[in-house]
Amino acid sequence: MNTAKLVFFTTENQETSCYYAQKSIILQVQRIKMSQIKKLLIIGFVWPEPNSSAAGGRMMQLISVFKKNGFEITFASAALDSDFMVDLASFGIEKKAIALNNSSFDDFVIELNPDVVLFDRFMIEEQFGWRVAENCPNAIRLLDTEDLHCLRAARQKAFRENITFELNDLLSEEVAKREIASILRCDVSFIISEFEMKILNDVFKVDSKILFYLPFLVAEMTQNELTNLPLFEDREHFVFIGNFLHEPNWNTVQYLKETIWPFIKKDFPEAVLRVYGAYPSQKVLQLHQPKNGFFIMGRAADANEIVKKARVVLAPIRFGAGLKGKLLEAMQCGTPSITTETGAEAMHADLPWNGFITNDTALFAKQAIELYNNEILWKQAQQNGIEIINQCYQKSSFDTALIDKINSLMADSENHRLHNFMGSLLQHHTLKSTKYMAKWIEAKNKN
């Protein structure tokens, strides 16, 4: 009897011991899993508006890649909310309002303790980079340049002064000094254009190890998808679409109205151009001239649907940088386009354009009319666009390499930073001035 009791209690103790051992293992597994959850903090220049600008669409593409790979994302910005910003919560992203020149950010970032921080444009890195480096020194610092602002600024300056732009002009551009310094301070910068990669390598001598070529990221386009798009005969009108807070877009519309449109109307009197874009100013609205077939339509409720129903996109862009989201969107909508060399820059590798590329005003107008009226030519241009999408912008061609790069940095950031001496130097010296300027502004605001 006593023996039976002894066996009973021993068995019970073993079961209890086994229970707690299993519970301990489960807790350990949970802790491991928790430690594997990578935190990403994105600091945005503005809240993403994918229906308003290519920059907003680009940001959502990046978010999609990180979400797919298990990152827990917090999106912070000092910008005001807008009626057109995306609902971040619906994507499982925490939204956090932050303040410029305010130490409250320090408390926030320390508590969040992100593994990776992504700065949206170099101005954001200037403002918050030193705070991240000081409070979360182990966090990987990434910069999405969007495009090279110094390239756009130098081209715009050359255009206004009516001189030929030369790459060496970049070396004297004030914005370039700030932008390149920001690139050097970060662990890796995303560069959207192969042409801009070349500029950074050849003109500014930036080490390729801290650059990562990352164009727009879209899904493959199939022939079945093409057949579901509106047919040639079901489409009408020319269209231009672009955010008017972006100076090159305003200049393009002005150029269309004053120079190109008279050529088109002369040989094609029934032509109609509809201009869409977020945030049109009064000077844009004043170009509205229905009697001349020139319509300023304002913000598009659904830009994709607008472009799908148009027959040809006109985009005579005279200065700018990066890749043109409006032209990639045209390809996705099966809509041929006509643009300039600047507009098509780095967008199509060596593949035929989905329409025409020319800087000549009269030829631009002639080719616009030809593309609009020639169905055979139009369909071939449409096919060219599909080839460009599938060979140059496949998400699957870049997303794995991007995450591998980030994981590699997280595993060996110390060695990576050791070999980026100029970045370390700038982090040590340049940001001291930024840091104390921010602290001075904060103290002044308190007073």
Side-chain angles (χ1 to χ4, degrees):
M1 186 71 173
N2 288 340
T3 303
K5 284 183 179 179
L6 181 62
V7 172
F8 172 77
F9 283 114
T10 301
T11 303
E12 183 178 47
N13 287 340
Q14 286 176 339
E15 289 176 350
T16 302
S17 176
C18 184
Y19 167 78
Y20 283 110
Q22 288 176 341
K23 187 172 182 180
S24 175
I25 292 171
I26 290 170
L27 289 172
Q28 288 181 45
V29 170
Q30 287 177 338
R31 280 196 291 268
I32 291 170
K33 285 184 177 179
M34 287 297 291
S35 68
Q36 289 176 338
I37 294 175
K38 294 169 284 190
K39 291 184 180 179
L40 168 66
L41 169 63
I42 302 174
I43 310 178
F45 182 69
V46 294
W47 301 108
E49 292 186 24
N51 292 327
S52 299
S53 69
R58 157 84 162 179
M59 179 54 70
M60 296 311 295
Q61 290 170 5
L62 293 177
I63 285 173
S64 173
V65 172
F66 283 109
K67 285 292 290 183
K68 176 186 173 184
N69 285 275
F71 279 82
E72 187 178 274
I73 303 176
T74 300
F75 195 106
S77 180
L80 296 174
D81 286 3
S82 81
D83 294 335
F84 306 100
M85 59 189 282
V86 74
D87 179 12
L88 291 169
S90 67
F91 291 89
I93 299 166
E94 182 182 353
K95 177 177 177 286
K96 173 70 177 178
I98 53 177
L100 300 173
N101 303 306
N102 196 304
S103 57
S104 61
F105 178 85
D106 301 344
D107 298 330
F108 157 67
V109 80
I110 289 171
E111 183 179 355
L112 182 64
N113 192 27
D115 300 289
V116 181
V117 178
L118 173 62
F119 303 105
D120 173 25
R121 285 165 266 205
F122 81 90
M123 301 84 78
I124 293 300
E125 189 279 335
E126 284 183 328
Q127 176 67 222
F128 295 101
W130 68 269
R131 292 186 184 275
V132 171
E134 192 170 85
N135 294 294
C136 300
N138 294 325
I140 300 303
R141 298 186 296 274
L142 307 175
L143 172 64
D144 185 30
T145 58
E146 294 286 354
D147 60 33
L148 280 185
H149 292 62
C150 61
L151 176 61
R152 174 154 36 92
R155 281 176 166 165
Q156 185 171 345
K157 180 181 178 182
F159 173 79
R160 287 178 173 171
E161 296 177 359
N162 197 27
I163 59 175
T164 302
F165 167 74
E166 302 288 348
L167 285 178
N168 283 339
D169 295 343
L170 293 167
L171 297 173
S172 59
E173 182 61 47
E174 186 66 28
V175 175
K177 296 177 175 65
R178 295 170 54 198
E179 190 166 24
I180 300 306
S182 181
I183 289 171
L184 291 171
R185 284 192 296 263
C186 289
D187 294 309
V188 166
S189 293
F190 301 155
I191 311 302
I192 202 168
S193 158
E194 288 184 310
F195 178 68
E196 293 178 5
M197 286 283 287
K198 184 173 175 58
I199 286 175
L200 290 168
N201 290 149
D202 297 349
V203 178
F204 294 111
K205 311 302 180 185
V206 176
D207 190 340
S208 296
K209 292 179 181 177
I210 62 171
L211 304 176
F212 190 88
Y213 172 57
L214 194 66
F216 291 125
L217 306 174
V218 300
E220 180 184 6
M221 188 166 183
T222 66
Q223 288 297 323
N224 284 339
E225 289 175 298
L226 181 61
T227 58
N228 291 327
L229 293 172
L231 301 173
F232 174 85
E233 59 268 23
D234 296 328
R235 297 170 180 248
E236 61 179 357
H237 307 322
F238 295 104
V239 70
F240 171 84
I241 192 162
N243 188 321
F244 286 108
L245 294 179
H246 192 54
E247 181 65 22
N249 287 334
W250 152 243
N251 181 270
T252 297
V253 172
Q254 188 179 33
Y255 180 46
L256 272 168
K257 176 65 168 62
E258 297 175 357
T259 307
I260 292 177
W261 196 240
F263 278 97
I264 292 177
K265 289 295 284 185
K266 178 177 178 292
D267 294 327
F268 189 20
E270 60 269 39
V272 170
L273 171 62
R274 297 187 183 276
V275 175
Y276 292 86
Y279 306 106
S281 63
Q282 188 57 39
K283 62 183 180 181
V284 175
L285 297 174
Q286 287 176 349
L287 298 180
H288 185 64
Q289 196 176 37
K291 290 183 179 179
N292 195 34
F294 199 96
F295 293 82
I296 302 296
M297 308 299 293
R299 178 185 290 273
D302 187 331
N304 205 258
E305 285 301 310
I306 295 295
V307 178
K308 281 180 183 178
K309 293 175 181 177
R311 190 173 289 181
V312 175
V313 167
L314 302 182
I317 299 164
R318 293 192 284 183
F319 57 84
L323 302 181
K324 312 305 179 289
K326 62 178 66 62
L327 297 176
L328 178 59
E329 181 180 50
M331 296 177 203
Q332 291 176 295
C333 293
T335 310
S337 65
I338 304 181
T339 189
T340 58
E341 291 177 4
T342 297
E345 180 181 271
M347 285 205 65
H348 61 117
D350 295 323
L351 299 170
W353 188 248
N354 74 318
F356 293 107
I357 301 170
T358 180
N359 292 342
D360 182 87
T361 301
L363 183 59
F364 189 103
K366 179 183 177 182
Q367 290 177 335
I369 296 170
E370 184 180 8
L371 189 56
Y372 191 97
N373 291 315
N374 188 326
E375 184 174 359
I376 295 174
L377 184 66
W378 187 90
K379 286 183 175 179
Q380 181 57 58
Q382 192 180 60
Q383 287 291 334
N384 292 347
I386 294 177
E387 288 300 313
I388 293 171
I389 289 171
N390 291 342
Q391 292 195 39
C392 300
Y393 301 102
Q394 281 299 290
K395 182 178 179 180
S396 58
S397 299
F398 298 96
D399 57 357
T400 300
L402 168 61
I403 297 301
D404 286 347
K405 179 71 173 179
I406 293 170
N407 287 336
S408 174
L409 287 170
M410 292 173 67
D412 195 16
S413 60
E414 186 176 345
N415 185 54
H416 176 81
R417 290 171 178 173
L418 182 66
H419 289 87
N420 181 17
F421 178 76
M422 291 302 295
S424 299
L425 184 150
L426 287 167
Q427 194 74 43
H428 180 74
H429 290 288
T430 310
L431 284 190
K432 293 295 183 183
S433 60
T434 307
K435 172 180 177 178
Y436 290 111
M437 173 61 77
K439 287 184 175 293
W440 178 81
I441 293 172
E442 182 176 5
K444 182 182 177 183
N445 289 341
K446 286 180 180 178
N447 293 331

